[in-house]
Structures are given as structure tokens and as C-alpha cells.
Amino acid sequence: MGNEAIARGAYEANCKIISSYPGTPSTEIVESISMYEGIYAEWAPNEKVALEVAAGASIAGVRSLTTMKHVGLNVAADPFFNMTYEGVNAGMVIITADDPGIHSSQNEQDNRIYASHAKMPLLEPTNSQECKDMMVEAYEISERFNTPVMFRTTTRVSHSKSIVSFDEDAEAEGEYKEYRKNKLNRLLLPTISRKRHLEIEDNLLDIQTYSNQSSLNAIEYHSPDIGIVANGISYQYAKEVFGDTVSYLKLGMSYPFPDKKAKEFASRVKRIIVVEEGEPFIENALKTLGVDCIGKDIIPLCGELNPEIIRKAITREEISTYEPVSVPARPPRLCAGCAYLGLYSAVKSQRDVISAGDIGCYTLGGTEPIKALDTVLCMGASISMATGMQRTQDFKPMGKKVFAFIGDSTFFHSGMTGLLNAVYNKTPIVVCILDNRSTSMTGNQENPGTGKTLQGDMSNFIRIEDIVLALGIKPDNLIIVDPTNVSETRQSIELAKASTEPFVIISRHPCELIKPQTEIDSKAKYYITEDCVSCMKCTRLGCSAIKIVDKKVVIDRQECRGCSICPQVCPYNCIKEA
Amino acid sequence: MSESISIILAGIGGKGVITVTNVLSHGLVTLGYDVKVSEVHGMSQRGGSVHAQVRFGTSIHSPLIEKGTADYIVGFDQVEALRWGSFLKLEGRMLVNMAELKDDTYKGIYESSFSQYLNTTFIQASTIARETGNIRNENFVMLGALLQSLGFEFDVWRPTMEKYIKKQFQEGSILSLLGGMREQLAAEEKETVYGL
């Protein structure tokens, strides 16, 4: 996998310190690197913290890495931009794993633009082998030019697998950098930053010379008719479609842009087509140089590319196919037996509630058939947005209470400050913290609330209720409830609605995916009795074990987890223990 | 064998698609092919469709298979096989698990939906898996059918099975794989007879 190859590359480059927050499709880099001996790898509560930890390690003299998904860089944007000014001591690499096609994200931003905006060199591998090799080169560039390096992958590079050759016995080697106290150019005060900006611009010209000479940017000359300029996975797609019938300029380092190499390429081919996913990043660079090219006129700007799109766009050829058969989609749903089902079941019957959601499994509580959430914006936004929504009612009363739904890991990530704001400004929102003791959506990573580190070692167990109280929530305004107990959950929602002060419900039940199999097996499973009148109330819970087969509601024995939520919502008492 | 072979393995989360993909791709690497694999499984544990694309040959560029170019679609489930139908080459082959459906989400008629594909083998994977001792090994029955259809001998896959399957599951998995190979061989022989 591309992500495993990146981890190998970081290891071989003698990178010693890694700090990250999980995010698809970047997560496996850290999980993989934590298996290497002699490396310190940690989960940080969010991307800003992670990037700053890596920055500290670099300044102190040890090669460091931070990895995140594309939207994670938005969270870390502040230190990201400033690190170019701060410079590095030992090499530092920042990985952003973009998600064209939005496989599991909120948006489709193209983070290459971040690199040029922050004036940071940008590397992009096209397969797993390059993931490994280019990581080593990234650290060389970082130290040689006193700058952090941005390493950008996309889902299809991170998550696809191709053969990687490497020496299994190779050991990480290299020297650490000496730390020199109070070098003033590390203090980003205006006088220093103004001077650094001039240096950075000079430095960029040097890096551009490197970019022109480096084999990261390579011309493959086959024919003078068509010249394709491509980066990342787009290069592999183009190569698949055209093989050696066209010429290529393959860009592994598109910022600073290799202007001389691009002009040389342009002089040798009649027509240039830019094949890139997302924004016209390379196309604009070429046009700025006065190189005539075709790009987004024919290659889509939205979505993920593939060989078929490229073939159609350039040659107008289509391969004949079988007629597609229309089959129903299987959208992702909350797991069978997920405790969130109990909480959402209790919430969605409330007509006077507005529900602000957040990023995690529980986002699925906004989809069919649960539909308990009204908004989902970004990590931590549920609480802050709820505050804004509640405040609008000072001006136009709607008679609604605004609830925020946030997971444990997301609360640590960026929910705490939102809650602090609500308490400080006395906005009477209700915050439901869905504490399932895990960072489930990305694959059950540890977080400060699980009491374990990335390596699974025991650590400080941070109690969410302690944080909530410390942020200023009054003890009377805090309820801890097990959401599989639906009636108690309903009562706590009623209490919370009546409160005139900020209120917190901690809805606590461990994630189904982290329970041991013996615990699941020991639970009694449920079935639907003959008396069922098909009122369909249980199907609206959203449990994937409850199905309609031959127009009758049934509980799939294999999938039932024995959570006991469905018998509590059946109005006719037709769901019994098997 | 043409320059490259493209295979789509399609199923539902938790049914062993990813396990089979791992065995298949590692085995192909051992046999000296260039191999690229693309998996989509982010939501698998939440009941979504899961599929993997495997391409192998002398030199592979794209990890994604183009519509109308897949040599094989291995359907671990009928609905999922149909979902990927338009990716199949006109002369490509469908291998479909005929295990009974628990879910009646598909409103069409299976027989007529599958009849448009020129080469389809239906495999009673659950029956074969049950006979070989473990109902959970339907995935290996399907892998066996695929390997047979690709023209591989079992012996070259034995070391891969032994390396990538946990000891306690090895015997059952291998028996299921062999069962799938036998089933596919029988189906192909029948086709030859009727074809004449």
C-alpha cells in the first residue's frame, strides 16, 4: 500500500518523530510507521498540535513527520504557513492525503494550492515505489533548502497497492542536527519575518533550479505529436491509455514549477495536454510561462479521474460495454447494535430540537432512515454552530432547543474550545458527547479518552466529565447516560431541554467494533414474534440487523448484537429475546 | 495470456473480499507478475459494498480498471456482481456466488439480468463451503473458481495459502479453494460439451 511505502521511506530517511491525527486516506502511514523500532510515533488530539510537535522536533534537530487528510491541513494551516518562515533544523515533511472523488470526506479541495500559497516545495508520488523513494528525497530537500516539504498523495495513491522493492535489512541511519539556542530567525516577530520573506523568495529560485534539474520531473520523449503533462496518479492513468504513443512530462515536484524543463518539453512537442485531477494547478503554471496547452477545457475539474475519462476526453473513443444494471446502492450505515442508535431514536422524536452534527460515525445518524441530524460542517463545528443557532433565537424565537452531537475523539480534537465558548458566553445549548471510547470512523484509533497510546501502552485516562466540569459546566447540568437505555436517555433529553444554562449529556457506551467476540456471543439475540403488525417503527431505528424479507420485518440472527434497543422502541412488545 | 488481466472482486463488508484479494495479489507477485490493487473498503464495517480491483501482467500502470475492460468479475454476491457488470469486457467472464439472498433489496429478476453476459458461471459457494467444513469459506470457493478459470495449478498457490492464511484456518480454506477449482473445471467441461 502507498501508505505503508511512505512509512518505509520515512524510516529509511531516519525520521524519528511522527505526530498526527487520523484521517482517511492518511491513517495507515502512522499505523505502519509505529511498527518500526526506534521511532517515536503518537496520535495527537488534532492536526495543528501534530504539526507543531513535528515542528518542535525538527527545530530541536531530529527529522520529523506529520500526516493528515486534506481537510486536516485546514486545521493546521496556521503553523503550516509559518513553518516556511521558521525554517527547519533537521528535515521536516508534512503529508497531506487528498481525496478527489470524495470517498470519505466533506469536500474535494486540492491541497497543491496550499504548497504554492505557503511557498513550500511540493512532492507527489505516482505509485507505491515512488512513495518510498520520494520520502527519502523529501528530507534531503528539506534540509538542503531550510524548509519543510509538503508531500501530497491522493486516495488512489495512498490506498492502492503496487510492488515496492527495498532492502529489508537496511537500517535507518543519519546524523542528528545540533541545537543552537535562541537563533533569532526562529522567532517570527515582524522584523524577522520581513527579512525571512525576502530570503524565502530567493530560496524559492534556488529550489526552482533544483526542480528543473531533478529527475523528479522527467521528460519521456516518444513522439512529437502529443505531449502529456501529468502528476501523481493521473500520470499512471495517461500511461495506461496512451502507453508509449505520446510523450510525457511527469511532474513529481510541481512547486516550485520546473519552468525551464517545461519550456524544453513544449519546444519538442506539437500539442500539450495537461492531465491533472482537481484544480488547473499545472495548467496555470504553464500558461503563466506562455506555454499553450489544453487542460480543464476537456479534463473534468470535479471528481476523481480514471483512464476511461482521460481516453474519452482526449481521443473521444469509448469502449463498448454491457448495459449497466440498476441495482440499489448500499449506503454506509451505523453498525448493527451501535449505541448511537438508542440516542438518535430518543432525539428524533423531539419536534422542538435542532440538531447540529459533527464528523465521525455518528454523522451517519443524519442519513436514511435515522435522519436525526440537520447539519454537518467540519470537525468540532457542531458545538460552535449550535451556539450560533441558539443565539439567533434572541432575535427570531423559533421555540427550539439546539443540540450538538459530537464524538469523544472529535471533542478532544476541537470541541472543547466550542464548549468553553458556550459556557463563557452563557449560551444555553445542549451538547451530547457520544463517548464510545474509540476513534471509530477511521478504524478505532486510541485517543486521550481511551487511556492508551498509539502503541497500546497504558496511559493517563482522561475523563470527559472532568473536562466538561473544568470548562465551567455546572454539575447539575451534566448527565451521564447509557444510550442503550432508551427511556433514561429520553428523560435526560427532557431535562436538558428545560435547562436555561449550557447543558452536557455524556452518552457513554463502548463501540461495537472494539468489543471482544465473547461479549457479543454471550448476549441474548432478539427476534420478532408472529404478533408483529408491521408498524415499521423498529425499521426506522436504522439498525442494519433489522431487515424486510418477503414484506415481513425480521432480525438477522447473524447480525444482531443483542444491544436491546429495538425491544424498547417496539410499541406492541413484539420483539423478544431468542 | 494477454499482456494484462483485470479482475474485479465485488461483495459486501465482512464476507472476505479483502482477504481473498490479499491472497490473490501476494500469490501473483510470488509468481513474478507486476501487480496493482485498488481497494475501496472505508465503510465496509458499516454494511456498505466492498470491492477490489486487481490487475496483473508484465507491466501495469493504472490501479483502476476501465469500464468494458475487466477480464473477470467475481461476484461474492449477485447484486454486487450486477453492480459492476458494465466493467466487464464483452468476452469477459462472470463468476457469481449463487448463495441465497437474505435481503430482497434488488427488484429485478436475476436470471434475465445475468443472461446478457456471454460467459457466466454460477457457483453454489455456500454448499461447497459447507461440504468442506466451514460455511464462512465461500470466499475461498470463489477464489478457487477464479484460479481455475485463469488456468493456474493449485500447487503454485499452496505456498501463498500457507503464508497468508492463519494456521487454524488453513485446511478449511484450502479445501474450499480446491472445491471451487473443481466446480469451475466441471462447469467449463460442460460448456465445452454443449459448445460443440
Side-chain angles (χ1 to χ4, degrees), chain A residues 172-237:
Chain A
E173 52 185 62
E175 287 174 5
Y176 302 126
K177 302 282 176 180
E178 194 188 331
Y179 177 69
R180 278 162 294 171
K181 190 161 169 57
N182 199 8
K183 281 198 77 193
L184 286 176
N185 59 5
R186 308 282 190 219
L187 289 175
L188 297 187
L189 299 165
T191 48
I192 293 164
S193 293
R194 279 183 214 119
K195 187 168 117 309
R196 276 293 292 157
H197 192 179
L198 297 171
E199 287 171 10
I200 286 166
E201 295 301 335
D202 274 348
N203 199 22
L204 278 174
L205 294 176
D206 291 343
I207 311 175
Q208 188 164 37
T209 306
Y210 179 92
S211 176
N212 273 312
Q213 290 161 356
S214 168
S215 59
L216 290 168
N217 296 319
I219 292 174
E220 287 173 39
Y221 189 74
H222 298 292
S223 137
D225 294 332
I226 296 180
I228 287 182
V229 186
N231 66 318
I233 198 69
S234 309
Y235 164 79
Q236 299 288 356
Y237 295 154

Side-chain angles (χ1 to χ4, degrees), chain A residues 156 161 311 322 330 333, chain B residues 37-38 46 66 80 90:
Chain A
R156 208 54 72 181
K161 296 179 182 175
R311 184 190 302 279
Y322 284 109
R330 288 186 208 270
R333 293 170 70 174
Chain B
V37 180
S38 188
R46 291 156 190 95
E66 242 179 292
E80 296 311 311
L90 292 180

Side-chain angles (χ1 to χ4, degrees), chain B residues 75-141:
Chain B
F76 293 75
D77 170 284
Q78 297 175 54
V79 175
E80 296 311 311
L82 290 175
R83 191 186 306 284
W84 290 93
S86 59
F87 277 72
L88 192 65
K89 237 182 217 171
L90 292 180
E91 67 278 19
R93 180 170 283 277
M94 280 253 190
L95 301 171
V96 186
N97 182 4
M98 282 304 281
E100 58 187 291
L101 295 157
K102 288 183 202 142
D103 236 326
D104 64 348
T105 48
Y106 179 57
K107 304 289 181 224
I109 300 161
Y110 286 101
E111 243 166 84
S112 58
S113 298
F114 280 110
S115 66
Q116 67 165 319
Y117 309 109
L118 297 176
N119 306 303
T120 309
T121 317
F122 295 105
I123 294 156
Q124 298 288 352
S126 58
T127 314
I128 297 167
R130 201 179 293 122
E131 281 166 5
T132 53
N134 191 347
I135 182 70
R136 292 183 64 99
N137 281 338
E138 285 176 50
N139 55 340
F140 284 107
V141 175

